């Protein structure tokens, strides 16, 4: 952060090179201006603040500019799903029996349930034993015809494909397509790390990452790398600083069919059913259904989606919307088109110029404006009596992704900010509502893009620039006196243009 001694001069220079002069700038824009001084030069920021009850625009900057929305885009997916899907919607997984070549086959049909657990799948398999089946001599077919196309959306960097927040959006989803493990570096410097994955998990992880101290890590420009290979094999390389406690790791399943097939084989063995066939994907397989599993209802899925910013739920819901709206196998393309169409038809929201690549906001190709997100928030607020979506938003210091967000978890913001977060490399966004000290409710969209913190050599903890910005920005909003008489000498100045 710029030294406070040089605050005024530095702020004036920053403002003159960052913000164009806008004749519509308000007193609130000028009051918010100092908060932007916390951000490093080069950021690309837009915001829009309106009175939640009247819709009056109170402050804005570049509100029509398309930005990377990150997970604030989940608001669109949640709203479209709530408007279009029946209130009792649930993902369904079925187990069926069929006869072929005098053998008895099993068909498991998946619908993209993002929360289907190993235990729930095992319970379906136990139905076979209840039917008197002790030996399966046929095949087990996995039917995932409800989705088509790629399981990873375009616009994902290759280096995050192995981590769980980018797990594949597959119709055949199990255990959130994620496996937990741990990496140990509690041995002498120079030795190899040791990785541990629970024995019941059918993935393979190897490591040749070495143990170093901080000085060695810095001198070697070394970091821990993860690469995903075929057959759910993962390779760790690079280095890890020596530490007493293990480093928790999460591995995104790459081959969802193989992972599910391997789990099925293990669970059949645990159930006591001998199996001599193969587990294969066959989207045309069908049979007589003998057991069904239903997911959590839509309202609970939406609650997890928004509070925890769950990418898999968002993308599988988007594909499901594409499937049902267009009556064809769901994919990222028809899913995002369906979201736009549903929001236009049922909510009057025109998002024609928005760029939607997925339902989660994870793709770097997505683009939304602060004005568009404001319209979505306004509709949600105006129709909350029927939608019941505001209750699913994270609340500062209380729930979801805002529970531990350092910029807003302390008074006076704790409990007074309700918003969807959105974070990607270079993006830090919020979209929601704040209740001010005077009781006024504001609708706020903050899209900070091209944010890249300056690297520091100091080992002392440094408060991130985005934290300092958000603390100042939202504290100013909370304390601002909206009843004061505007100062005509500043009403015509741009956001962040200092008074003379």
């Amino acid at each position: 952060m710029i030294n406070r001694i040089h605050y005024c001069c530095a702020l004036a220079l920053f403002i003159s090179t960052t913000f164009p002069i806008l004749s519509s700038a308000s007193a609130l824009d000028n009051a918010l201006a100092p908060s932007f001084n916390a951000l490093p030069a080069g950021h690309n920021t837009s915001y829009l603040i309106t009175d939640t009850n009247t819709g009056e625009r109170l402050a804005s900057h570049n509100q029509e500019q398309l930005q990377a929305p990150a997970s604030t885009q989940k608001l669109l997916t949640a709203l479209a799903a709530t408007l279009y899907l029946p209130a009792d919607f649930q993902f369904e997984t079925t187990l069926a029996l069929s006869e072929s070549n005098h053998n008895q086959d099993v068909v498991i049909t998946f619908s993209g349930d993002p929360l289907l657990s190993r235990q729930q799948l095992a319970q379906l398999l136990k139905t076979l034993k209840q039917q008197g089946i002790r030996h399966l001599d046929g095949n087990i077919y996995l039917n995932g015809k409800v989705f088509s196309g790629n399981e990873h959306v375009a616009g994902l960097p290759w280096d995050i494909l192995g981590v769980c927040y980018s797990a594949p959006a597959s119709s055949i989803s199990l255990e959130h397509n994620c496996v937990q493990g741990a990496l140990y570096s509690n041995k002498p410097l120079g030795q190899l790390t040791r990785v541990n994955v629970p024995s019941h998990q059918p993935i393979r992880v190897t490591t040749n990452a070495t143990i170093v101290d901080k000085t060695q890590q810095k001198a070697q420009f070394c970091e821990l790398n993860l690469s995903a290979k075929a057959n759910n094999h993962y390779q760790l390389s690079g280095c890890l600083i020596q530490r007493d406690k293990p480093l928790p790791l999460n591995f995104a399943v790459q081959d969802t069919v193989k992972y599910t097939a391997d789990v099925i084989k293990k669970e059949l063995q645990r159930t006591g059913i001998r199996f001599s066939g193969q587990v294969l994907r066959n989207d045309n397989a069908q049979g007589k259904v003998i057991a069904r599993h239903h997911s959590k209802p839509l309202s609970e899925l939406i609650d997890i989606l928004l509070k925890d910013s769950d990418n898999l739920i968002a993308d599988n819901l988007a594909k499901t919307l594409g499937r049902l709206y267009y009556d064809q196998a769901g994919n990222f393309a028809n899913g995002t088109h369906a979201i736009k169409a549903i929001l236009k038809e049922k909510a009057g929201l025109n998002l024609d110029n928005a760029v939607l690549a997925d339902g989660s906001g994870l793709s770097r190709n997505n683009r939304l404006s602060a004005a568009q997100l404001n319209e979505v928030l306004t509709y949600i607020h105006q129709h909350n009596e029927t939608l019941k979506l505001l209750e699913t938003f994270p609340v500062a210091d209380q729930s979801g992704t805002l529970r531990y967000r350092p910029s807003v978890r302390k008074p006076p913001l704790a409990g007074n900010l309700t918003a969807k977060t959105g974070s990607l490399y270079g993006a830090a966004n919020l979209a929601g509502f704040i209740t001010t000290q005077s009781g006024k409710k504001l609708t706020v969209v903050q899209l900070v893009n091209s944010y890249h913190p300056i690297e520091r050599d100091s080992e002392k903890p440094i408060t991130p620039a985005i934290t300092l910005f958000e603390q100042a920005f939202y504290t100013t909003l909370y304390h601002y006196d909206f009843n004061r008489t505007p100062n005509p000498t500043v009403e015509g100045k741009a956001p962040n243009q200092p008074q003379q």
Side-chain angles (χ1 to χ4, degrees), residues 73-84 321 325 335-352 354 356 368 372-373 375-377 379-380 387 389:
Q73 185 172 317
K74 291 183 174 72
L75 292 171
L76 279 65
T77 305
L79 177 56
T82 303
L83 289 172
Y84 190 76
L321 289 172
Y325 189 86
T336 52
H337 277 78
I339 289 172
K340 283 187 175 184
I342 292 166
L343 293 183
K344 179 180 285 189
E345 292 172 8
K346 294 188 174 292
L349 300 173
N350 189 334
L351 298 168
D352 288 349
L356 304 185
L368 283 169
Q372 289 167 332
L373 283 166
E375 289 179 5
V376 172
L377 289 169
Y379 184 88
I380 289 173
L387 295 173
L389 283 177

Side-chain angles (χ1 to χ4, degrees), residues 132-152:
I133 298 174
R134 298 292 187 271
H135 177 216
L136 274 176
D137 52 5
N139 293 324
I140 297 177
Y141 294 111
L142 309 182
N143 187 329
K145 67 180 179 181
V146 294
F147 293 167
S148 64
N150 295 325
E151 294 182 351
H152 285 110

Side-chain angles (χ1 to χ4, degrees), residues 51-332:
D51 185 309
T52 301
N53 294 319
T54 67
E56 177 189 1
R57 191 188 78 167
L58 302 174
S60 64
H61 180 69
N62 287 342
Q63 69 270 20
E64 301 292 344
Q65 180 171 303
L66 293 176
Q67 304 270 49
S71 287
T72 60
Q73 185 172 317
K74 291 183 174 72
L75 292 171
L76 279 65
T77 305
L79 177 56
T82 303
L83 289 172
Y84 190 76
L85 298 176
D88 60 353
F89 170 83
Q90 294 173 292
F91 289 97
E92 183 182 72
T93 308
T94 64
L95 186 144
L97 294 176
S98 68
E99 300 288 338
S100 66
N101 299 324
H102 307 292
N103 291 327
Q104 192 167 49
D105 296 327
V106 173
V107 180
I108 305 176
T109 301
F110 297 81
S111 64
D113 182 354
L115 300 183
L116 182 66
S117 70
R118 184 178 185 134
Q119 292 73 22
Q120 291 163 346
L121 180 59
Q123 196 62 41
L124 284 176
L125 294 172
K126 289 178 182 178
T127 307
L128 296 172
K129 200 166 186 180
Q130 295 169 4
Q131 295 282 322
I133 298 174
R134 298 292 187 271
H135 177 216
L136 274 176
D137 52 5
N139 293 324
I140 297 177
Y141 294 111
L142 309 182
N143 187 329
K145 67 180 179 181
V146 294
F147 293 167
S148 64
N150 295 325
E151 294 182 351
H152 285 110
V153 67
L156 284 190
W158 67 268
D159 58 336
I160 70 167
L161 296 181
V163 292
C164 283
Y165 65 80
S166 60
S170 172
S171 56
I172 302 175
S173 290
L174 182 64
E175 292 284 90
H176 225 75
N177 295 336
C178 176
V179 175
Q180 296 181 341
L183 186 63
Y184 293 79
S185 60
N186 56 348
K187 295 189 291 185
L189 298 177
Q191 292 195 22
L192 292 179
T193 53
R194 177 177 64 86
V195 67
N196 178 65
V197 174
S199 59
H200 69 277
Q201 292 288 12
I203 72 169
R204 178 169 166 254
V205 184
T206 54
T207 178
N208 59 19
T210 57
I211 301 171
V212 297
D213 58 26
K214 291 183 179 180
T215 301
Q216 292 171 322
Q217 183 192 45
K218 183 177 179 180
Q220 298 171 18
F221 297 93
C222 183
E223 59 186 6
L224 184 65
N225 301 309
L226 171 66
S227 59
K229 301 181 180 295
N231 299 317
N232 293 324
H233 173 207
Y234 305 81
Q235 176 68 51
L236 292 162
S237 60
C239 68
L240 181 64
I241 291 178
Q242 189 180 51
R243 47 187 287 164
D244 294 330
K245 296 182 179 180
L247 176 69
L249 294 175
N250 293 306
F251 303 95
V253 171
Q254 301 299 299
D255 188 335
T256 56
V257 171
K258 175 174 171 49
Y259 177 77
T260 303
D262 289 341
V263 169
I264 287 173
K265 292 174 186 176
K266 286 179 177 288
E267 291 302 325
L268 284 174
Q269 188 176 21
R270 284 163 52 95
T271 305
I273 298 176
R274 289 185 296 119
F275 176 53
S276 55
Q278 300 181 73
V279 182
L280 305 168
R281 177 160 184 167
N282 183 344
D283 289 350
N284 296 314
Q286 54 186 336
K288 181 180 179 181
V289 175
I290 63 170
R292 303 175 187 271
H293 169 75
H294 292 97
S295 73
K296 293 177 181 292
L298 180 63
S299 60
E300 292 186 38
L301 293 172
I302 296 294
D303 188 69
I304 299 170
L305 163 63
L306 292 182
K307 277 194 174 65
D308 298 339
S309 201
D310 193 292
N311 292 326
L312 186 59
I313 293 178
D315 285 334
N316 280 13
L317 276 177
K319 288 186 174 184
T320 299
L321 289 172
R323 174 174 69 88
L324 297 176
Y325 189 86
Y326 291 107
D327 193 23
Q328 56 186 247
N331 54 47
F332 285 114

